[in-house]
Amino acid sequence: MKFLEYTPLDHISDFLSHVNLGERTVKGSLEAYSCKHTGTDKKLSLSLENEILDYLGKSSDSDSSSPIDYLCCRSSRKTLIYLLLTLNHIYPDHDFSAVNCQQFFTEENWDSFKQTFDTYMFEASKEWFETNKDSPLLETLYKALDEVVKISECEIYSYNPEADADPYHEKGTLWAYHFFFYNRRLKRVVSFRFNCVSNLALADKLNDDEEDGYTFLDGMDM
């Protein structure tokens, strides 16, 4: 996977890096990647493929929660592997399990994504419009995504792990969403994650970090 730089995505990502809404802060990030293997991707891809095939060999068709039908299709396995490789590049220190992660991916469409965005990013969108009156945030996002991955050709997935397995989760998180826009023909994927954190929790975390720092300094011989 190779990180791709796109100014329109960067502009939105910069805005969403910290949107203070008083009692809470919305944060988000957009990253685009080429699905061409680089570095250790090929080795990791093969490892993930073997894990999935091993999982298929041990699973039973009678298991109603099993994603066997999906994983039996080679193109679906490739899609899953691309999404996992993208996560691996975003969070290089986190261990992603092919089997567990597959159960957290849900196929979406633009309407379901838009509904989530409109509901949870309503206030952030108002903040955006204060300084970008020429184009609403969702419209700007659509144009940027369309430039990179062609929305009409995209497969859209949401990633919904448990909080303790989510590398994006932080103290005081009120809600969090992670979507992937994957164009099979262009072999590109865009990751869009956004969350909302209580400012009280952020302040507590800052105080804890400062106290830890003071404790460390107090114990030093000067």
Side-chain angles (χ1 to χ4, degrees), residues 4 14-16 18 30 35 42 55 57 86 88 93 100-101 127 144 160 173 199 218:
L4 303 174
D14 288 345
F15 166 75
L16 290 176
H18 191 95
L30 281 153
C35 295
K42 188 171 184 179
Y55 171 75
T86 302
N88 190 69
D93 297 327
N100 289 334
C101 281
E127 290 292 320
N160 304 297
T173 296
N199 281 343
D218 289 343

Side-chain angles (χ1 to χ4, degrees), residues 41-110:
D41 285 342
K42 188 171 184 179
K43 181 178 180 181
L44 181 56
S45 176
L46 181 60
S47 175
L48 290 171
E49 173 81 6
N50 288 334
E51 283 186 47
I52 294 171
L53 293 176
D54 184 59
Y55 171 75
L56 288 174
K58 295 178 180 178
S59 297
S60 168
D61 289 331
S62 62
D63 182 359
S64 60
S65 64
S66 171
I68 289 177
D69 288 343
Y70 177 88
L71 292 175
C72 281
C73 174
R74 187 172 186 276
S75 63
S76 296
R77 293 201 301 273
K78 286 185 65 175
T79 298
L80 170 60
I81 288 171
Y82 284 143
L83 298 182
L84 290 170
L85 287 175
T86 302
L87 282 170
N88 190 69
H89 277 267
I90 296 172
Y91 308 105
D93 297 327
H94 196 82
D95 179 31
F96 293 98
S97 164
V99 173
N100 289 334
C101 281
Q102 196 280 334
Q103 297 172 33
F104 298 137
F105 286 106
T106 304
E107 191 162 5
E108 309 280 353
N109 55 48
W110 179 258

Side-chain angles (χ1 to χ4, degrees), residues 106-171:
T106 304
E107 191 162 5
E108 309 280 353
N109 55 48
W110 179 258
D111 287 339
S112 62
F113 165 78
K114 181 179 180 297
Q115 183 176 3
T116 299
F117 187 93
D118 284 342
T119 300
Y120 291 94
M121 297 292 281
F122 177 74
E123 291 183 87
S125 295
K126 289 199 298 183
E127 290 292 320
W128 166 274
F129 199 67
E130 287 297 318
T131 54
N132 300 272
K133 295 185 182 296
D134 58 323
S135 179
L137 179 56
L138 182 60
E139 181 181 324
T140 305
L141 174 64
Y142 183 95
K143 289 179 179 178
L145 288 171
D146 197 48
E147 180 181 330
V148 181
V149 287
K150 304 294 181 187
I151 292 296
S152 63
E153 300 178 6
C154 267
E155 298 168 24
I156 303 174
Y157 297 89
S158 60
Y159 174 53
N160 304 297
E162 298 293 334
D164 58 357
D166 184 2
Y168 196 45
H169 184 80
E170 58 183 301
K171 181 181 178 181

Side-chain angles (χ1 to χ4, degrees), residues 199-212:
N199 281 343
L200 180 60
L202 289 175
D204 289 343
K205 183 177 184 301
L206 180 61
N207 290 334
D208 290 344
D209 290 343
E210 289 178 347
E211 289 176 3
D212 289 343

